[in-house]
């Protein structure tokens, strides 16, 4: 999900592009070079912290509830261009487009407390004295204080080294965050412990409120403490309640002899008891021990993918993307299994871990599939968590944050997310429960008194075959509306119908399968034969809006040029509408500026495809910075020219660098990072929501992927492409377990028996993958 233009402050792309093209010549506060073989040393958490990638550099463990990271004043947290840190807060999401998280910013200071506004008491810092690596972060503040952060699943551990002083403060700010704060409560429980409750709302707009509970325990007693409310600081006060105003506590230490202070903050979305239990279970260790454990957790996770070949920059960008792919979704249940459901009641997850934070419009295309390969146990729990949302609240999610629905983005992304889980074998024992929830979602609309919008335009879509574009229609519920983007919503509904039809067929629901499969052809209902492109229809059925397919009216964060390829369920049918393979290839070549691309891939990617972090409207070219056309490069697999898929994919991969500007737009909870990882390996989910994986040339000579034997009996997949490079990148032949293979796709069943996938590559295109049955088949 990328935020709408006008709400952020995009930086001049010319400067960014020029800097990015310098590549490794840019000095960035990255992790040290890999000198001892640790993959974590290849990860640079600062990638994407500039030019609206909206990533964060702070400490987290894989899928952890806590993301302990600095906030500099940018609306999503940290911006590498900023020079002051307002606090180190406990909750962040990687690459979101609107302010979210930033709860409980904590900052060490010295001297008297003269301000309670973190924008004013913010600490100056320099990137020259700042480091980050998976699981830890440190910075030297210009005040003379060193701050270090690390994390467990549900706690953040901070270590501060102060100058010698009797006024070493830690500011615990409950009333300011990256979202709208509605009410906060601060309690100083004893001379080592502070507790807070923070009720907030927001993500691109107001949402239903949610409450985060925190408890912070210091490793030694503080000498004095107090609270503040608004501008008033009250030394010695133990509690403070506030609505939408500044509110917090300070604690003070004498560091004349012992200059270090450590503290552990635990959080819970359930209650204060949950936060205390999380603290007792995961706290109690030193900063150094927690940091080492966090790094080991990341090393273990990254070690499942061992890439050989490629330069240092390529390896750093790859492993940094792999790292970001494991940052979300996030654990939502406490150590006792309790979680707050979307009905705002407390439930218990028995036999699985409950997860939250669902950027489904983004992640269903790439990250869900990557996690199904590399983290199937967690992916199973994530899918069960989504089903639990339906059980608890009565409806499946669209874009969920914490314990609430935000309704951001459009279409029906939860369907391909869950059908993917089904197709990957992650829903065993829960197939019918998942199907029942998906069928309700696909055939109905949430009631007016529920928060979700679901398939908002479903009544018209089912009756007429398309979601109407109704300009200026008032939003009934907060969030985005499918009626504002009727053309793209129609395509998304049809895609989801196709995927649900496959699941229905497998489960023996034959009548449903036929109905959904027929509805999957509804993409044809918005095809305007007079223009040869998709186009929005109004409530009467008439085509509406500009006839120019480079205009965005009726399409969400894109244009008809970009959305025309979002028919993965029936690309042969789409190609036929366009006029056949020759016409489709001409259109694809124009879309990707192919002639320019093959001459200078990096320049074409940066100067023709990309126009700015949020400039995804009114264009007739590929936009690798946003989700609608992430699958588009793989369309060539279906038009008989698979070598062009490699050309486009490798061109897009040049946009990922090991610098702060090295992201293609928002990361969107790992979506873009997962695209990089999968495309670099050469296996990509070309029909999201099914078990189909398209093939292209890897950028590494060899990648060894460790797989969970419970889901993939071979336990390992090796992908080879000896000699692959920028110039030697065209597949001449392929072998699967030593046998010749001419298709451009594999299925998940193929992967379960696959030990070795080898590509023979050369410097010119070949006829590989051009046979009559080589392309991914249409769903029927």
């Amino acid at each position: 999900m990328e935020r709408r233009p006008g709400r952020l402050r995009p930086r001049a792309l010319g400067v960014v592009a020029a800097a990015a093209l310098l590549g490794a010549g840019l000095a960035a506060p990255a992790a040290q070079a890999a000198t001892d073989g640790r993959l974590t040393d290849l990860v640079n958490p600062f990638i994407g912290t500039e030019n609206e990638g909206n990533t964060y550099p702070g400490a987290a463990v894989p899928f952890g509830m806590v993301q302990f990271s600095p906030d500099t004043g940018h609306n999503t947290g940290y911006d590498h261009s900023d020079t002051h840190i307002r606090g180190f807060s406990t909750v962040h999401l990687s690459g979101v487009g609107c302010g979210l998280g930033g709860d409980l910013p904590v900052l060490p200071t010295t001297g008297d407390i003269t301000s309670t506004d973190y924008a004013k008491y913010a600490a100056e810092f320099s990137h020259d004295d700042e480091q980050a690596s998976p699981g830890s972060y440190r910075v030297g503040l210009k005040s003379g204080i060193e701050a270090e952060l690390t994390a467990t699943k549900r706690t953040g551990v901070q270590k501060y080294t102060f100058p010698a002083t009797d006024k070493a403060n830690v500011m615990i700010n409950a009333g300011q965050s990256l979202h709208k704060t509605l009410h906060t409560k601060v309690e100083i429980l004893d001379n080592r412990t502070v507790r807070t409750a923070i009720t907030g709302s927001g993500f691109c707009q107001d949402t239903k409120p949610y409450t985060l509970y925190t408890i912070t325990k210091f490793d030694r007693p503080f000498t004095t403490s107090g609270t503040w409310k608004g501008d008033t600081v009250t030394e010695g006060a133990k509690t403070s309640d506030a609505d939408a105003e500044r509110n917090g506590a300070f604690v003070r230490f004498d560091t004349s002899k012992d200059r270090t202070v450590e503290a552990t903050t635990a959080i819970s979305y359930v209650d204060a008891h949950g936060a205390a239990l999380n603290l007792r279970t995961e706290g109690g260790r030193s900063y150094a021990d927690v940091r080492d454990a966090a790094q080991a957790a990341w090393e273990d996770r990254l070690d499942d993918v061992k890439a050989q070949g490629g330069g240092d920059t390529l390896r750093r960008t790859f492993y940094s993307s792999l790292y970001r792919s494991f940052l979300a979704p996030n654990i939502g249940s406490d150590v006792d299994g309790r979680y707050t459901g979307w009905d705002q009641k407390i439930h218990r997850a028995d036999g699985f871990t409950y997860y939250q934070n669902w950027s489904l419009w983004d992640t269903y295309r790439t990250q869900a599939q990557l996690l199904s390969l590399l983290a199937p146990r967690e992916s199973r729990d994530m899918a069960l968590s989504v089903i639990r949302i339906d059980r608890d609240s009565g409806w499946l999610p669209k874009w969920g944050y914490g314990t609430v629905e935000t309704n951001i983005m459009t279409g029906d992304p939860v369907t391909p997310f869950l059908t993917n889980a089904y197709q990957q074998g992650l829903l065993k024992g829960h197939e019918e429960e998942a199907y029942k929830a998906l069928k309700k979602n696909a055939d109905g609309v949430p009631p007016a008194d529920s928060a979700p919008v679901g398939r908002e335009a479903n009544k018209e879509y089912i009756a007429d075959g398309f979601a109407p574009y109704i300009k200026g229609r008032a939003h009934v519920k907060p969030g985005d509306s499918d009626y504002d983007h009727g053309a793209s919503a129609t395509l998304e509904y049809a895609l989801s119908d196709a995927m649900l039809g496959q699941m229905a067929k497998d489960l023996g629901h034959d009548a449903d399968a036929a109905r959904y499969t027929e509805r999957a052809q509804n993409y044809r209902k918005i095809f305007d034969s007079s223009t040869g492109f998709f186009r929005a229809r109004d409530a009467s059925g008439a085509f509406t809006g500009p006839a120019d397919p480079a205009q965005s009216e009726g399409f969400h964060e894109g244009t008809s040029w970009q959305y025309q390829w979002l028919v993965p369920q029936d690309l042969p049918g789409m190609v036929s509408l366009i006029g056949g393979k020759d016409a489709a290839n001409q259109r694809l070549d124009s879309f990707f500026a192919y002639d320019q691309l093959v001459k200078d891939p990096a320049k074409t990617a940066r100067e023709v495809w990309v126009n700015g972090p949020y400039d995804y409207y009114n264009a007739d070219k590929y936009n690798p910075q946003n989700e609608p056309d992430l699958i588009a490069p793989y369309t060539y697999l279906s038009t008989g020219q698979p070598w062009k898929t490699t050309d486009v994919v490798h061109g897009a991969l040049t946009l990922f660098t090991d610098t702060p500007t090295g992201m293609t737009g928002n990361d969107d909870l790992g979506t873009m990072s997962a695209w990089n990882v999968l495309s670099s390996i050469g296996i990509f989910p070309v029909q999201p929501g099914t078990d189909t994986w398209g093939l292209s040339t890897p950028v590494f000579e060899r990648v060894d992927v460790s797989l969970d034997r419970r889901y993939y009996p071979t336990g390992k997949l090796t992908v080879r492409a000896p000699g692959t490079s920028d110039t030697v990148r065209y597949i001449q032949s392929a072998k699967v377990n030593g046998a010749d293979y001419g298709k451009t796709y594999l299925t998940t069943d193929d992967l379960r028996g696959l030990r070795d996938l080898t590509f023979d590559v050369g410097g010119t295109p070949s006829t590989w993958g051009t046979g009559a049955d080589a392309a991914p088949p249409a769903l029927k």
Side-chain angles (χ1 to χ4, degrees):
M1 190 279 298
E2 306 226 11
R3 196 170 178 179
R4 301 162 190 73
R7 296 190 180 181
L8 294 178
R9 55 182 203 281
R11 305 182 190 284
L13 184 68
V15 174
V16 172
L21 287 171
L22 293 175
L26 258 182
Q32 63 187 21
T35 56
D36 55 4
R38 295 186 310 190
L39 295 175
T40 48
D41 289 336
L42 291 171
V43 174
N44 178 4
F46 290 96
I47 293 174
T49 59
E50 194 167 338
N51 199 35
E52 308 302 343
N54 296 346
T55 58
Y56 60 85
V61 296
F63 311 120
M65 182 185 291
V66 166
Q67 308 85 34
F68 211 4
S69 190
D71 295 323
T72 63
H74 189 274
N75 77 319
T76 65
Y78 180 96
D79 191 301
H80 190 263
S81 300
D82 293 332
T83 59
H84 288 74
I85 291 173
R86 298 181 175 187
F88 307 106
S89 61
T90 55
V91 178
H92 298 84
L93 294 183
S94 181
V96 294
C98 300
L100 193 61
D103 298 286
L104 200 69
V106 178
L107 191 71
T109 69
T110 58
D112 294 326
I113 297 173
T114 59
S115 175
T116 62
D117 183 352
Y118 68 178
K120 295 180 179 178
Y121 66 70
E124 188 177 2
F125 75 107
S126 168
H127 298 308
D128 294 336
D129 195 12
E130 184 187 37
Q131 295 87 36
S133 63
S136 66
Y137 170 90
R138 73 154 298 279
V139 63
L141 305 176
K142 291 294 181 67
S143 61
I145 302 170
E146 179 186 55
E148 299 174 82
L149 311 176
T150 188
T152 70
K153 291 179 180 178
R154 299 172 179 86
T155 75
V157 181
Q158 53 211 284
K159 178 182 178 182
Y160 303 124
T161 303
F162 289 92
T165 177
D166 61 355
K167 291 184 178 180
N169 312 308
V170 178
M171 307 282 284
I172 302 172
N173 192 336
Q176 293 180 284
S177 66
L178 302 176
H179 57 76
K180 184 178 180 180
T181 302
L182 302 177
H183 183 81
T184 60
K185 182 176 182 179
V186 178
E187 300 173 276
I188 300 176
L189 300 182
D190 55 41
N191 64 358
R192 294 178 60 182
T193 313
V194 180
R195 182 168 66 189
T196 74
I198 302 166
T199 299
S201 173
F203 178 43
C204 301
Q205 81 290 307
D206 288 342
T207 62
K208 283 194 172 183
Y210 56 89
T211 300
L212 181 71
Y213 301 88
T214 84
I215 186 167
T216 302
K217 192 173 188 66
F218 291 84
D219 67 338
R220 60 181 169 119
F222 29 84
T223 57
T224 189
S225 62
T227 66
W228 73 79
K229 183 176 180 179
D231 293 323
T232 302
V233 179
T234 307
E235 185 170 343
K238 299 299 183 183
T239 64
S240 181
D241 283 81
D243 290 326
E245 59 183 315
R246 297 193 299 276
N247 192 34
F250 75 92
V251 298
R252 179 168 291 166
F253 301 87
D254 187 335
T255 57
S256 300
K257 295 181 180 179
D258 184 356
R259 295 177 55 200
T260 64
V261 174
E262 295 190 12
T264 300
T265 298
I267 69 173
S268 169
Y269 288 85
V270 179
D271 54 24
H273 172 74
L277 187 59
N278 292 342
L279 180 65
R280 286 200 299 271
T281 305
E282 297 186 9
R285 292 181 290 166
S286 70
Y287 172 85
D289 287 345
V290 175
R291 178 200 60 206
D292 292 347
Q295 183 184 64
W298 278 113
E299 191 68 32
D300 180 64
R301 187 66 68 174
L302 299 176
D303 191 55
D304 286 341
V305 184
K306 295 182 178 178
Q308 300 178 25
D312 290 344
T313 297
L314 181 63
R315 287 171 56 76
R316 284 194 292 267
T317 57
F318 177 79
Y319 279 104
S320 297
S321 291
L322 185 60
Y323 159 76
R324 290 189 300 272
S325 299
F326 292 126
L327 289 173
N330 304 105
I331 293 170
S333 51
D334 293 335
V335 292
D336 61 357
R338 294 184 310 146
Y339 68 91
T340 297
W342 283 24
D343 56 0
Q344 304 308 306
K345 297 179 182 179
I346 296 174
H347 303 272
R348 190 179 299 273
D350 293 320
F352 75 103
T353 298
Y354 181 80
Y355 286 85
Q356 58 192 23
N357 299 335
W358 304 106
S359 183
L360 294 174
W361 189 80
D362 312 292
T363 59
Y364 88 78
R365 308 164 199 259
T366 59
Q367 194 230 19
Q369 293 83 355
L370 179 64
L371 295 187
S372 73
L373 278 178
L374 301 182
R377 299 184 193 188
E378 292 88 347
S379 294
R380 171 188 176 273
D381 287 0
M382 291 169 188
L384 294 181
S385 300
V386 168
I387 296 171
R388 276 295 184 97
I389 291 173
D390 175 78
R391 185 192 299 184
D392 295 341
S393 69
W395 216 261
L396 289 169
K398 180 169 284 189
W399 209 121
Y401 175 64
T403 65
V404 299
E405 173 65 84
T406 72
N407 290 322
I408 291 300
M409 307 314 295
T410 49
D412 177 21
V414 71
T415 293
F417 173 84
L418 280 178
T419 61
N420 171 73
Y422 165 74
Q423 296 289 352
Q424 310 306 330
L426 304 178
L427 291 181
K428 290 183 178 178
H430 299 272
E431 296 93 338
E432 289 296 342
E433 181 183 9
Y435 179 75
K436 182 179 179 181
L438 286 168
K439 179 179 178 180
K440 176 176 61 178
N441 177 75
D443 291 341
V445 179
D449 61 352
S450 67
V453 296
R455 287 196 186 194
E456 187 182 16
N458 221 13
K459 180 180 178 181
E460 296 90 342
Y461 173 80
I462 292 173
D464 304 321
F466 63 90
Y469 166 53
I470 304 177
K471 191 172 184 178
R473 180 180 181 272
H475 286 207
V476 178
K477 299 178 182 181
D480 290 309
S481 171
D482 290 343
Y483 291 108
D484 288 343
H485 313 283
S488 57
T490 299
L491 296 175
E492 302 262 13
Y493 289 5
L495 182 156
S496 295
D497 282 337
M499 307 315 166
L500 186 55
Q502 292 293 297
M503 184 177 181
K505 181 179 179 181
D506 292 345
L507 295 178
H509 301 292
D510 294 338
D512 287 349
R515 183 163 53 89
Y516 292 133
T517 300
E518 181 180 1
R519 277 168 36 178
Q521 293 293 307
N522 279 342
Y523 73 89
R524 296 173 180 270
K525 299 287 182 66
I526 62 167
F527 185 78
D528 184 353
S529 58
S530 69
T531 65
F533 285 85
F534 294 129
R535 194 174 171 195
R537 288 182 180 269
D538 64 22
S540 72
F543 286 114
T544 185
D548 181 359
Q551 298 299 305
S552 299
E553 196 165 348
F555 294 88
H556 201 175
E557 297 188 354
T559 67
S560 185
W561 266 101
Q562 293 157 352
Y563 271 96
Q564 68 184 308
W565 317 113
L566 193 63
V567 192
Q569 72 271 25
D570 187 22
L571 277 176
M574 179 60 204
V575 167
S576 177
L577 283 180
I578 291 174
K581 288 185 178 181
D582 288 343
N585 282 323
Q586 290 176 22
R587 189 173 290 188
L588 283 165
D589 289 351
S590 173
F591 181 62
F592 293 114
Y594 184 76
D595 290 343
Q596 295 171 260
L597 176 71
V598 292
K599 294 177 183 178
D600 194 333
K603 182 177 181 180
T604 303
R606 293 195 175 276
E607 297 184 8
V608 179
W609 293 348
V610 174
N611 299 302
Y614 293 94
D615 192 3
Y616 35 62
Y617 291 102
N618 304 333
D620 64 353
K621 293 294 183 284
Y622 174 48
N623 180 7
Q625 292 187 303
N626 204 18
E627 280 74 16
D629 52 5
L630 284 182
I631 309 170
Y634 295 88
T635 307
Y636 283 119
L637 302 183
S638 296
T639 62
Q641 297 184 335
W643 65 89
K644 291 184 178 179
T645 287
T646 290
D647 286 332
V648 175
V649 167
H650 284 218
L653 287 171
T654 67
L655 295 169
F656 292 86
T657 72
D658 60 347
T659 71
T661 60
M663 278 295 303
T664 58
N666 300 159
D667 194 30
D668 290 323
L669 275 70
T671 299
M672 296 300 181
S673 293
W675 188 95
N676 183 8
V677 171
L678 290 163
S679 294
S680 295
I681 294 173
I683 301 176
F684 190 86
V686 293
Q687 291 175 330
T690 72
D691 62 349
T692 306
W693 304 80
L695 303 178
S696 65
T697 307
V699 298
F700 297 105
E701 291 194 296
R702 174 170 175 162
V703 179
D704 292 295
V705 183
S706 296
L707 301 172
D708 190 324
R709 290 185 182 274
R710 294 190 301 176
Y711 298 91
Y712 300 93
T714 62
K716 177 177 267 191
L717 168 63
T718 298
V719 181
R720 309 173 198 264
T724 186
S725 69
D726 290 342
T727 55
V728 182
R729 63 176 182 264
Y730 298 109
I731 299 173
Q732 308 296 301
S733 63
K735 293 184 182 295
V736 169
N737 292 340
D740 288 340
Y741 192 78
K743 295 181 180 180
T744 62
Y745 70 96
L746 294 165
T747 68
T748 297
D749 280 345
D750 294 332
L751 290 178
R752 292 193 177 109
L754 186 58
R755 298 181 304 276
D756 188 277
L757 172 62
T758 298
F759 297 102
D760 176 34
V761 295
T764 57
S766 74
T767 59
W768 176 84
T770 60
D773 62 346
L779 303 184
K780 298 184 183 298

